[in-house]
Structure formats: C-alpha cells, structure tokens
Amino acid sequence: MRESAGQVVLVTGAGRGIGRAVAEAFAAQGARVAANDLTPVNLDPAVQAIETQGGEARAFLADVASKQAVQAMVEQVCETYGRIDVLINNAGVEPHASLLTLDEWDWDRTLAVNLKGPFLLMQSVARVMVEQGGGCVVNVASIAGRAHGLKDRSAYVASKLGLIGLTREAARELAPYNIRVNAVCPGVIETEMTAGLRQNPEMMQRWLADIPQGRLGQTQDVVGVVLFLCSPAASYLTGQAINVDGGKVMS
C-alpha cells in the first residue's frame, strides 16, 4: 500500500530515532520526504539510506527554534516540491537535571525546540496548507506530558504538556481549512535518546513493571500510529493525543 505516494512530507529531527524511522516509512510509501535536522552528521546518512532503498528524500538543515530558519526552510521545501502535505514535528531535546539545579539555558532551549519549534513550523506550514486546500500535522509529544511525569525532567515535561495543549488548539483553529492536527505520545522507545535509561537495570525494572505489555517500544510502534493519523482512514480524527506506551498510561 502506497497511500503517501506523491505526497510531500516534512519531518523534523529526521536524522535518528523516531524521526528517521518515520521519514523512512513515508519514503517507502512513495512520499517525497523533506528531512530536517540541525546538523548533517546524522541527517546525511539518513537521507542516503532512504535513497539507497529507492525512496526520495532531501536534507534541509535548520534550527526549528529559529523563526527565520524555519521560514527559510519551509520556503526551500516549497521551492523544491511545490507543496507540503504532511508535517511531522519530531525534533526534541531532553536535559536531565533536577528543578534545583536545572540551568536556565537548558530550560530555555528545551522549550524553544520542543514547543516553540512546533508552533513556528505549524504556523508557517499551515499557511501553505491553507493555500493548497488542506494537510495533516502530527506532533511527537510524550506520555511525560500526560498523567506520567518524569523525575529530573521538568523542562521536558513542561514542553510536552504544552505541545499537547498546542495540538488541541491548532486542531480547533485549523479544522475549517481541512487541516488535521494530532499528537502521538510515546513511552520509552528504544532510541539513542533513551539509552541512559535502558542502561540502568534498577530503573528499567521499575519502568517495565508498570507496562502491561511488559516491554519497551520500538520505533515502528510509533511509526504505525503516525502513518495511520496521516492516512484517509483517520480523516475524522483531529485534536487527539494518542499514547504509544504499551498501556503504561491509560487516559
């Protein structure tokens, strides 16, 4: 099935982890992928991998926390492909520090990348989607923004909770333009970002004990939900935040 054939999909944070897996999945469905990241270190190999597998992807370097950089990137994508059908806001950072020791720079950077970035991208891309008659947005949030917080992650939790709220408001405002906006809220997924947690046996034991399915998630677990949300099968879904966590948070 190639439901995304011909679509233009912009994926932020596409150099590794969930973002790379999402970009590869859309490319496999025939989409033209505009892959974004901050540096070429991970992004270039990700784009090359897609091309090696017969997909179409191009690299677009930009800091999603910068309005100027975001607007320039969106313009470049439109100049290259002529439109943007799907936006996946995946780029994110997660500093580890207690509230008592968290540096102000880390707080500001986390909110800038994880919350301001999706705002800037949605604002800029939605203007394109309005002109073309519609589109789809999926924001990658976290169960940390739902009923389950994380110790020593105050900036991250605040940003993801804000992203869920932003998703709902954007869905409400953009629905009249045939633009759907949803979020996925992963639990612990086996990516580079969660390597520290997975290397702590005691923490892993406690975490797994609260997961009914008894395992951590794989990137493909998230990819499947993202693809569904961007498909015609989800045409009546907007403003939702869907947990992808093996049942850890049921709300």
Side-chain angles (χ1 to χ4, degrees):
M1 182 179 297
R2 294 171 68 84
E3 291 181 337
S4 302
Q7 288 190 328
V8 178
V9 181
L10 172 56
V11 183
T12 69
R16 62 178 188 170
I18 292 173
R20 176 168 177 171
V22 167
E24 290 177 344
F26 272 110
Q29 285 196 349
R32 295 170 289 174
V33 177
N36 157 264
D37 218 309
L38 186 59
T39 70
V41 175
N42 295 314
L43 187 59
D44 285 350
V47 169
Q48 292 169 7
I50 289 174
E51 293 176 335
T52 298
Q53 295 164 8
E56 181 176 350
R58 294 194 185 185
F60 293 86
L61 298 177
D63 181 352
V64 299
S66 164
K67 181 176 181 178
Q68 182 177 7
V70 164
Q71 290 181 334
M73 176 176 66
V74 171
E75 290 175 2
Q76 290 167 4
V77 173
C78 289
E79 288 174 0
T80 301
Y81 292 117
R83 61 187 296 114
I84 300 175
D85 299 286
V86 175
L87 168 64
I88 309 297
N89 278 314
N90 168 76
V93 295
E94 183 182 3
H96 299 181
S98 74
L99 187 66
L100 298 177
T101 61
L102 179 65
D103 186 81
E104 182 183 7
W105 188 92
D106 285 325
W107 170 272
D108 288 344
R109 182 61 181 169
T110 303
L111 271 291
V113 174
N114 296 5
L115 185 55
K116 179 184 176 183
F119 157 70
L120 293 173
L121 263 298
M122 282 195 289
Q123 184 180 66
S124 189
V125 172
R127 289 169 178 163
V128 175
M129 291 179 173
V130 167
E131 292 298 319
Q132 67 192 26
C136 182
V137 179
V138 175
N139 295 319
V140 180
S142 168
I143 61 169
R146 303 299 296 267
H148 185 86
L150 295 174
K151 183 180 179 183
D152 296 336
R153 308 287 201 285
S154 57
Y156 182 76
V157 171
S159 69
K160 294 303 184 179
L161 179 58
L163 183 55
I164 292 171
L166 177 60
T167 297
R168 292 171 179 161
E169 183 57 30
R172 185 174 292 110
E173 293 187 19
L174 297 177
Y177 302 102
N178 193 33
I179 300 172
R180 296 187 299 107
V181 185
N182 291 290
V184 291
C185 300
V188 175
I189 308 298
E190 293 192 19
T191 65
E192 295 89 338
M193 184 176 284
T194 64
L197 169 63
R198 290 184 284 114
Q199 292 170 3
N200 186 323
E202 182 180 350
M203 188 175 295
M204 276 297 301
Q205 184 176 8
R206 291 200 307 269
W207 190 272
L208 289 171
D210 290 335
I211 300 177
Q213 288 192 340
R215 69 172 178 86
L216 298 184
Q218 304 297 315
T219 55
Q220 292 307 311
D221 294 321
V222 182
V223 166
V225 179
V226 171
L227 292 178
F228 165 70
L229 289 173
C230 297
S231 74
S235 63
Y236 201 50
L237 277 177
T238 195
Q240 304 304 305
I242 300 176
N243 298 337
V244 187
D245 63 353
K248 188 175 181 67
V249 177
M250 296 190 182
S251 63

